[in-house]
Amino acid sequence: MGRVITVGRQFGSGGRELGRRLAEELSIEYYDKEIVTEISKHTSLSEDYVRQVIDHKPHNLYPITVGHSLTYIDDYAIRRFQSVFAAQDEIIKELAGKSDCVIVGRCADYILQDIKPYRIFVHADLDSRVNRCLAKQKEDEHLNAKQMRKKILNIDKNRAKYYEYYTGNKWGVKENYDLCVNTTDTVIKEFVPVIAKMFK
Amino acid sequence: MGRVITVGRQFGSGGRELGRRLAEELSIEYYDKEIVTEISKHTSLSEDYVRQVIDHKPHNLYPITVGHSLTYIDDYAIRRFQSVFAAQDEIIKELAGKSDCVIVGRCADYILQDIKPYRIFVHADLDSRVNRCLAKQKEDEHLNAKQMRKKILNIDKNRAKYYEYYTGNKWGVKENYDLCVNTTDTVIKEFVPVIAKMFK
């Protein structure tokens, strides 16, 4: 099994934790938020801006139907936006080329398609994700179950839009991954040693 | 990991082979066509009839909207049909209760939901499935790629209908399985020892 592993994940599915622990278990590199920092360095754009582009709604900044209604967005904004994409592409390829690794999110499965990474997608049912997020809620966040549910659905909607905009493929559809893992009622810490065996 | 494993599969994905080899690798029982034979014995219906019901189109024999338009189907046919379902349910629960096992198809993931089997779904892209089926074509079958493609789509359509009729759930949707495995470009024989590690 290849040991460049990409992990796509629904918010609250424990996919990030799965990716991090998997990398630890396999003693290979792990990349997640580091990619945002690297893009920021490459482009001289703030981390906040980069995060806004790659974690949120690119379609609000840049129309999918290029060439039609570009008048509302200035050239500079477009170039800035494209520079984030170009840097993301370059950095992810560079990281994957250096050594075995786990890369969470950032369309890495698509960007690395030429080297055929092992593409995992982590999902869970909504109740399970709400419960996982409530249990891990930060001290300054006081969302109830209904609010958390809304937050989760909203984040995933944006992830899906970003992925589809960037790759032209459907996000989270099993056909685009090698393995889809359902983490409903799963303790990630206990599951990782099990799935890690596949790569040993 | 539980060792009652159910395997749903797209036709031509190599799912049946994966299930059989997985059982061999884990030295546990394997049930597939044996279930048809057992249902036939329990119900005194022919294996051909049982196969027709559980592998083909139940909706042609028995309307989903029970209570509306039953006039075209006689009581005896309904009872016969229901007896197949009841026997399938009973036999699969009995087999899973006896010992660790792999059960391929037959809505076993749904029937066994109370004991929480590990539910695998095996899929692959259509080209890959066509090629796998052409390579394994029986001597008396002379289908070209186009015909094979049609056959595959037709069989899967019936599997989906049967599953949805029987379980009320969508067939092949990742949410209904613990693990979805994409076998496009995968040599099943080589992959099974890898995935088997998860259950050891």
Side-chain angles (χ1 to χ4, degrees):
Chain A
M1 301 284 284
R3 302 230 309 180
V4 171
I5 301 164
T6 64
V7 180
R9 75 291 181 217
Q10 286 182 333
F11 189 76
S13 67
R16 172 172 288 164
E17 184 187 344
L18 185 148
R20 184 175 51 75
R21 289 186 184 277
L22 184 58
E24 276 173 20
E25 187 80 22
L26 299 174
S27 304
I28 62 178
E29 294 297 326
Y30 168 73
Y31 302 113
D32 177 10
K33 293 179 180 167
E34 298 80 355
I35 293 169
V36 172
T37 312
E38 283 302 310
I39 294 174
S40 169
K41 281 186 204 161
H42 275 234
T43 57
S44 303
L45 294 164
S46 73
E47 288 198 23
D48 273 353
Y49 176 79
V50 172
R51 200 170 295 113
Q52 184 198 332
V53 172
I54 72 175
D55 279 351
H56 294 84
K57 299 182 187 173
H59 67 295
N60 281 356
L61 298 167
Y62 191 57
I64 292 180
T65 51
V66 178
H68 286 304
S69 49
L70 279 177
T71 47
Y72 68 91
I73 187 162
D74 66 66
D75 269 5
Y76 176 66
I78 294 174
R79 279 201 301 276
R80 200 170 51 175
F81 188 68
Q82 287 177 326
S83 73
V84 172
F85 274 5
Q88 173 179 257
D89 195 271
E90 192 184 324
I91 289 159
I92 286 178
K93 283 178 178 161
E94 195 183 309
L95 294 173
K98 272 204 303 197
S99 64
D100 291 347
C101 59
V102 174
I103 303 177
V104 172
R106 327 291 173 212
C107 307
D109 53 320
Y110 176 81
I111 291 169
L112 297 175
Q113 59 187 313
D114 289 346
I115 66 161
K116 294 195 177 294
Y118 198 77
R119 302 160 303 166
I120 297 176
F121 188 81
V122 184
H123 62 100
D125 70 25
L126 192 52
D127 283 349
S128 162
R129 288 188 284 142
V130 168
N131 291 336
R132 189 175 272 125
C133 288
L134 287 174
K136 294 195 169 189
Q137 195 164 200
K138 287 176 193 159
E139 274 183 21
D140 60 346
E141 198 180 32
H142 305 286
L143 303 184
N144 60 30
K146 195 179 166 190
Q147 290 164 327
M148 190 60 89
R149 184 187 162 96
K150 199 175 163 192
K151 178 182 169 180
I152 289 170
L153 292 175
N154 193 41
I155 291 176
D156 277 356
K157 196 171 151 194
N158 289 338
R159 282 185 181 169
K161 277 183 182 159
Y162 176 71
Y163 186 87
E164 285 168 38
Y165 171 77
Y166 191 80
T167 70
N169 293 332
K170 281 267 179 200
W171 180 75
V173 167
K174 69 179 187 305
E175 286 73 13
N176 296 330
Y177 304 91
D178 297 297
L179 205 67
C180 289
V181 179
N182 188 341
T183 53
T184 305
D185 302 326
T186 299
V187 180
I188 303 294
K189 196 177 172 180
E190 291 170 5
F191 180 67
V192 167
V194 174
I195 194 170
K197 290 184 201 168
M198 287 182 63
F199 302 93
K200 285 182 176 174
Chain B
M1 301 284 283
R3 302 230 308 180
V4 171
I5 302 163
T6 63
V7 179
R9 74 291 181 218
Q10 287 181 333
F11 189 76
S13 67
R16 172 171 288 166
E17 184 187 345
L18 186 146
R20 184 174 51 74
R21 289 186 183 276
L22 185 57
E24 277 172 20
E25 187 79 22
L26 299 174
S27 305
I28 62 179
E29 293 297 327
Y30 168 73
Y31 303 113
D32 176 9
K33 293 178 181 168
E34 299 79 357
I35 294 169
V36 172
T37 311
E38 284 301 313
I39 294 174
S40 169
K41 281 186 204 160
H42 275 234
T43 56
S44 303
L45 294 164
S46 74
E47 289 197 22
D48 273 353
Y49 175 78
V50 172
R51 201 171 295 113
Q52 184 198 332
V53 172
I54 72 174
D55 279 350
H56 294 84
K57 297 183 186 173
H59 67 295
N60 281 357
L61 297 168
Y62 191 60
I64 292 181
T65 52
V66 178
H68 286 303
S69 49
L70 279 178
T71 47
Y72 68 90
I73 187 162
D74 65 65
D75 268 5
Y76 175 67
I78 293 174
R79 281 202 299 278
R80 200 170 51 173
F81 187 69
Q82 286 175 327
S83 73
V84 171
F85 274 5
Q88 174 179 258
D89 195 89
E90 190 185 325
I91 289 159
I92 285 178
K93 283 179 178 161
E94 194 183 311
L95 294 173
K98 273 205 301 197
S99 65
D100 291 346
C101 59
V102 173
I103 303 177
V104 172
R106 328 291 172 208
C107 305
D109 53 321
Y110 177 81
I111 290 169
L112 297 176
Q113 58 186 315
D114 289 346
I115 65 160
K116 293 196 178 294
Y118 198 77
R119 302 159 303 167
I120 297 176
F121 188 81
V122 184
H123 62 101
D125 71 25
L126 191 53
D127 282 350
S128 162
R129 288 188 284 143
V130 168
N131 291 336
R132 189 174 272 124
C133 289
L134 287 174
K136 293 195 168 187
Q137 196 163 197
K138 287 176 192 158
E139 272 183 23
D140 59 346
E141 197 180 33
H142 304 286
L143 303 185
N144 61 30
K146 196 179 166 189
Q147 290 163 328
M148 188 59 89
R149 185 187 161 97
K150 200 175 161 190
K151 177 183 170 180
I152 289 170
L153 292 175
N154 192 43
I155 290 176
D156 277 356
K157 197 172 149 192
N158 289 338
R159 283 185 181 170
K161 277 182 183 160
Y162 176 72
Y163 186 87
E164 286 167 38
Y165 171 76
Y166 191 80
T167 70
N169 293 331
K170 281 267 178 200
W171 180 75
V173 167
K174 70 179 187 303
E175 286 73 13
N176 296 331
Y177 305 90
D178 296 297
L179 205 66
C180 289
V181 180
N182 188 339
T183 53
T184 305
D185 301 327
T186 299
V187 180
I188 304 293
K189 196 177 171 178
E190 291 169 6
F191 181 67
V192 166
V194 174
I195 195 171
K197 290 183 199 171
M198 286 181 64
F199 302 92
K200 286 182 175 174

